[in-house]
Amino acid sequence: MTAPTLRPAELDDTALAKVRALESQLGVPLVAYAPQTPYAPLTDAQVAELQRAEAELGVQLLAYRP
């Protein structure tokens, strides 16, 4: 099983300004990271179907990105 990893976050100007303000307030440099997951983004209906299959089969299923 592959766990989510981290990559540097892409911040818009507003988010970057908030990070810089927090850096100033804390007096330390900050690095923003965003999780990068190998798992497929599923709709609520797809998750429900996956959960039904898990219950029926007695297993845990993971959906990965193609």
Side-chain angles (χ1 to χ4, degrees):
M1 179 180 343
T2 304
T5 58
L6 295 175
R7 61 175 175 74
E10 295 182 21
L11 302 176
D12 61 21
D13 291 341
T14 301
L16 185 56
K18 288 180 182 182
V19 170
R20 287 185 176 154
L22 185 55
E23 282 180 323
S24 179
Q25 177 185 344
L26 298 175
V28 297
L30 298 172
V31 178
Y33 285 98
Q36 187 174 18
T37 179
Y39 308 123
L42 301 177
T43 65
D44 290 344
Q46 290 172 316
V47 170
E49 185 63 30
L50 187 69
Q51 290 171 334
R52 279 192 288 277
E54 288 177 330
E56 180 182 325
L57 300 171
V59 298
Q60 289 186 340
L61 300 169
L62 296 175
Y64 284 89
R65 293 179 186 271

